[in-house]
Amino acid sequence: MSQNLLVTDDVSFQAEIEQRPGVVLVDFWAEWCAPCKALLPILGELADLYAGEVTVAKINADDNKGTRDRLAVRGLPTLILFKDGVEQERLLGMTSKTRLAALLDKYLEA
């Protein structure tokens, strides 16, 4: 796992994600979720590629039910893109590095 990939939880989510300026991509995942595991290397690559521009974070949905429920995460993996603490877009399921990079670029340019 990339050193640039932030691991967050119910306790720190607000401070690390919702109060962070700029673009933040959060992955809601679980240990039992095969697509979540397949997405991990892509997120690591993006965290490295966009280091200093975008925060890429993971939160275990099973261990952090408060945040999961508050944000109405119903399937895994769910990726939520925040900009300046406000949810902008949400993706459900496995996706490509190309699609995620295009999403990040869209909000970096905005």
Side-chain angles (χ1 to χ4, degrees):
M1 186 164 64
S2 167
Q3 291 181 331
N4 291 314
L5 194 58
L6 175 68
V7 178
T8 190
D9 58 26
D10 279 345
V11 174
S12 60
F13 191 86
Q14 187 173 12
E16 291 181 331
I17 305 303
E18 295 174 317
Q19 294 176 353
R20 184 181 295 261
V23 178
V24 181
L25 181 65
V26 181
D27 172 36
F28 285 80
W29 68 283
E31 193 64 41
W32 50 265
C33 172
C36 298
K37 290 179 181 181
L39 194 56
L40 181 58
I42 293 171
L43 294 172
E45 289 175 29
L46 290 171
D48 292 342
L49 185 63
Y50 287 89
E53 296 180 276
V54 173
T55 300
V56 180
K58 297 182 64 57
I59 183 168
N60 185 309
D62 286 342
D63 295 342
N64 298 282
K65 294 176 182 168
T67 302
R68 179 197 70 197
D69 293 346
R70 183 171 57 81
L71 294 176
V73 172
R74 302 287 179 243
L76 299 178
T78 293
L79 297 162
I80 302 177
L81 185 133
F82 294 86
K83 184 163 185 180
D84 297 328
V86 178
E87 180 178 335
Q88 302 295 315
E89 293 200 33
R90 186 178 288 224
L91 300 173
L92 178 61
M94 185 63 189
T95 191
S96 70
K97 179 180 174 184
T98 303
R99 182 173 179 202
L100 288 173
L103 179 69
L104 297 176
D105 290 342
K106 173 182 166 182
Y107 285 94
L108 285 173
E109 295 167 3

